[in-house]
């Protein structure tokens, strides 16, 4: 037996990156009287992490709750970038319906396909929201047509095709049923949520809840977050924690909290259908089932897609190791990586043949780059290798991950982009012209072909191109890539980089460092104009003499250095190079620093090959 809880709606907001999810949540929060009239809350309210605010993307799924017409609407804001698909997969089971946001200009993108497929798999009832209809090149009718094509391709039942459509300008907090006639508020969207999102069913029986997320509070410790599927829970109740591996242990509930706006409120009892936070369960993990000890029935676990890219993380072995970070030992790095596994379900950490290095696998370059950035901000020193695609063998055949790549470029850049993708083993699936000088391309390309491509793509399109990709399973090995990078300029001796030495280095290529920076032998200081590495003395100073020169007063002029970001540094690396990461610096270096070490490594490789 079960009853319907008409006082609750559980709603996930899903979309491709930059299509307006978090901005829409801002408007929903503000128009539901969550804040005081004189309260300054800003924008992108749920993206509270420093890294999220800097990058302008959602990295972690988050919960909030608003009230409208006496109904509590629990909102789950999910990431839109494909690399954080694990965040989407683990939280959708808490919802009964979803808002599928689509940009009126871009239309459905690769991540749109991924999140919609996941929503259909867990039986969510979608509401289509065509956002940004005020943009100059907006084509809401065409965007909707492509969404309907996607529905026909992915839907499992006829009911899933029956989705209401609304049009919005999220940044202005306006919505309507016609893109030409939007109301001044989001009231049409509120009505659609209450009418079309199914209320949760409160099943009778013993307590049952799946832990979909965890958070930490300085006062109460670990909080387990999830939706109650059956029964009820109250502070002081004894519950059984059923682990994913079948282990069982007893625990006692501390507080039971509900989301209200951006805060939480303690309640005496929460019933099935509610999304709750429970304290007092110190060792609970995402994917555990909390149940009544008298009825220990586990819920289906959370299925997370396989990682496709891996890197090697190790302790910093450069001559500057230990000078800038608080945590620099293998024990500290190992403990931190395994703590990350508790909340980052898309991540994998494996031991290697040496205690100082760990093989870390994730859903993409950005997924791992965010982890590295978090580590350096927490005070860790480490070195990381070049990202590589995870290849596997099935029935004696080598398979590699393939991605579906979508690009939007100007017609004048089409030839250069298609040539670059051909070198990287990309296969064109579809091409479309918008009649205004723009071209939309769909490619199937090996994941290893995309590693390092983003920077090249931005250069080829003069920064005007848009690209996005999503994993598309495994296919047979496509063959070797013909991508080559120019050689590196490496420091020939340790010391401090000087203007005179850098000026000489700039005659041979582009430099990556500024004067005054500490360097060591084997550190990469630039990129030369041809293949093959070259040593340069960037610490060289101009010889002084007592002979007057007519050019003595002419200052050495340097071209500004090309300073690489973390993502650009990872894209730059080749197999014999590493990236040294500290809280204050990113340093590119050769894996073997001196010429003697490099010669020994070459001899070992030649002996192994023979």
């Amino acid at each position: 037996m079960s009853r319907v809880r008409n006082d609750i709606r559980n709603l996930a907001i899903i979309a491709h990156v930059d299509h307006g999810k978090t901005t829409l949540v801002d408007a929903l929060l503000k128009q539901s009287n969550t804040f005081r009239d004189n309260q300054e809350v800003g924008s992108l309210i749920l993206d509270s992490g420093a890294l999220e605010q800097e990058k302008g993307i959602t990295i972690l799924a988050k919960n909030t709750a608003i009230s409208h017409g006496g109904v509590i609407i629990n909102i789950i804001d999910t990431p839109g970038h494909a690399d954080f698909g694990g965040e989407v997969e683990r939280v959708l089971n808490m919802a009964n319906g979803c808002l599928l946001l689509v940009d009126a200009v871009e239309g459905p993108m690769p991540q749109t396909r991924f999140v919609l497929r996941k929503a259909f798999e867990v039986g969510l009832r979608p509401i289509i929201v065509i956002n940004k209809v005020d943009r100059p090149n907006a084509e809401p009718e065409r965007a909707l047509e492509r969404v309907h094509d996607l529905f026909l391709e992915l839907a499992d039942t006829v009911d899933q095709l029956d989705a209401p459509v609304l049009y919005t300008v999220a940044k202005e907090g306006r919505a309507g049923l016609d893109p030409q006639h939007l109301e001044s508020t989001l009231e049409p969207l509120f009505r659609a949520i209450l009418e079309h999102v199914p209320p949760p069913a409160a099943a009778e029986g013993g307590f049952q809840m799946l832990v979909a997320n965890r958070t930490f509070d300085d006062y109460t410790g670990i909080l387990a977050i999830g939706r109650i599927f059956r029964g009820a829970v109250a502070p002081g109740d004894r519950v059984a924690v059923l682990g994913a591996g079948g282990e069982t242990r007893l625990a006692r509930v501390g507080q039971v909290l509900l989301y209200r706006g951006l805060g939480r409120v303690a309640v005496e009892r929460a019933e099935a259908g509610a999304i709750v936070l429970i304290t007092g369960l110190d060792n609970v993990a995402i994917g555990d089932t909390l149940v009544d000890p008298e009825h220990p029935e586990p819920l289906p676990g959370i299925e997370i897609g396989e990682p496709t890219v891996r890197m090697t993380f190790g302790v910093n072995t450069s001559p500057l190791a230990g000078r800038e970070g608080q945590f620099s030992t293998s024990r500290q790095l190992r403990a931190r990586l395994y703590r990350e596994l508790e909340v980052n379900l898309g991540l994998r950490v494996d031991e290697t043949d040496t205690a100082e290095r760990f093989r870390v696998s994730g859903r993409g370059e950005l997924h791992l780059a965010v982890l590295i950035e978090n580590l350096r901000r927490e005070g860790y020193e480490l070195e990381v290798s070049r990202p590589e695609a995870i290849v596997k063998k099935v029935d004696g055949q080598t398979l590699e991950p393939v991605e579906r790549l979508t690009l939007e470029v100007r017609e004048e850049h089409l030839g250069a982009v298609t040539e670059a993708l051909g070198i990287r083993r990309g296969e064109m699936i579809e091409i479309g012209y918008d009649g205004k000088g723009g071209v939309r391309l769909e490619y199937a390309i090996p994941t290893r072909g995309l590693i390092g491509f983003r920077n090249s793509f931005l250069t080829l399109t003069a920064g005007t191109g848009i690209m996005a990709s999503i994993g598309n399973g495994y296919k047979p090995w496509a063959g070797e890539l013909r991508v080559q990078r120019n050689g590196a300029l490496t420091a020939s001796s340790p010391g401090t980089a000087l203007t005179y030495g850098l000026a000489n280095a700039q005659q041979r290529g582009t430099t990556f460092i500024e004067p005054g920076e500490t360097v060591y032998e084997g550190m990469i200081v630039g990129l030369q104009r041809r293949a093959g590495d070259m040593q340069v003395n960037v610490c060289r100073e101009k010889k002084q003499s007592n002979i007057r020169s007519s050019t003595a007063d002419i200052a050495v002029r340097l071209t500004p250095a090309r300073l690489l970001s973390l993502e650009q540094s990872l894209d730059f690396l080749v197999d014999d190079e590493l990236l040294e990461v500290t809280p204050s610096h990113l340093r590119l270096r050769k894996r073997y620093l001196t010429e003697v070490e490099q010669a020994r490594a070459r001899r070992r490789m030649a002996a192994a090959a023979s």
Side-chain angles (χ1 to χ4, degrees), residues 378-413:
E378 294 170 15
Y380 286 83
E381 276 192 28
L382 66 154
E383 61 187 25
V384 298
S385 69
R386 179 178 186 266
E388 60 176 348
I390 299 175
V391 178
K392 60 184 181 181
K393 282 189 175 292
V394 177
D395 298 329
Q397 186 178 29
T398 301
L399 303 179
E400 64 176 334
V402 177
E403 305 204 21
R404 187 184 182 101
L405 175 66
T406 300
L407 309 107
E408 293 186 1
V409 300
R410 304 298 301 170
E411 284 191 45
E412 57 265 29
H413 303 137

Side-chain angles (χ1 to χ4, degrees), residues 450-495:
L450 278 182
I451 294 175
F453 176 66
R454 185 173 297 274
N455 290 329
S456 300
F457 175 72
L458 292 176
T459 302
L460 293 173
T461 61
T464 61
I466 298 174
M467 65 172 283
S469 63
I470 190 71
N472 198 26
Y474 279 76
K475 290 187 178 180
W477 179 264
E480 296 298 327
L481 303 182
R482 303 189 302 276
V483 181
Q484 291 186 343
R485 192 204 72 187
N486 289 351
L489 297 174
T490 62
S492 61
S493 59

Side-chain angles (χ1 to χ4, degrees), residues 12-168:
I13 300 186
I14 58 177
H16 185 79
V17 65
D18 286 337
H19 281 202
K21 298 176 307 302
T22 307
T23 304
L24 182 62
V25 174
D26 286 354
L28 291 170
L29 285 166
K30 293 173 181 177
Q31 294 191 22
S32 60
N33 299 318
T34 301
F35 310 109
R36 301 187 309 273
D37 292 339
N38 62 344
Q39 186 173 353
E40 293 290 336
V41 293
S43 60
L44 304 180
I45 301 167
L46 289 191
D47 285 349
S48 55
L51 203 53
E52 290 179 317
Q53 293 174 348
E54 290 175 19
K55 291 184 175 294
I57 61 174
T58 300
I59 295 174
L60 300 174
K62 303 175 188 68
N63 293 70
T64 186
I66 60 177
S67 177
H68 186 82
V71 177
I72 298 297
I73 304 175
N74 289 307
I75 297 175
I76 307 161
D77 185 22
T78 65
H81 199 286
D83 284 20
F84 308 109
E87 290 288 309
V88 179
E89 292 167 328
R90 68 177 173 81
V91 299
L92 287 186
N93 62 69
M94 290 192 287
N96 299 104
C98 64
L99 298 184
L100 177 68
L101 258 71
V102 178
D103 189 298
V105 174
E106 296 180 2
M109 297 290 279
Q111 181 72 355
T112 311
R113 175 187 300 273
F114 171 80
V115 295
L116 181 60
R117 184 173 68 245
K118 293 299 177 182
F120 282 158
E121 287 176 0
V122 296
L124 300 190
R125 181 75 180 273
I127 297 174
I128 301 171
V129 179
I130 308 297
N131 191 30
K132 303 184 182 182
V133 296
D134 61 328
R135 291 182 62 180
N137 296 326
E139 295 181 310
E141 294 82 4
R142 175 164 172 73
L144 179 59
E145 179 182 343
R146 292 169 56 192
V147 171
H148 283 154
D149 291 342
L150 197 58
F151 269 61
L152 289 170
E153 181 181 342
L154 300 178
D156 296 322
T157 65
V158 175
D159 293 340
Q160 292 174 334
L161 298 175
D162 184 20
V165 181
L166 286 95
Y167 302 88
T168 61

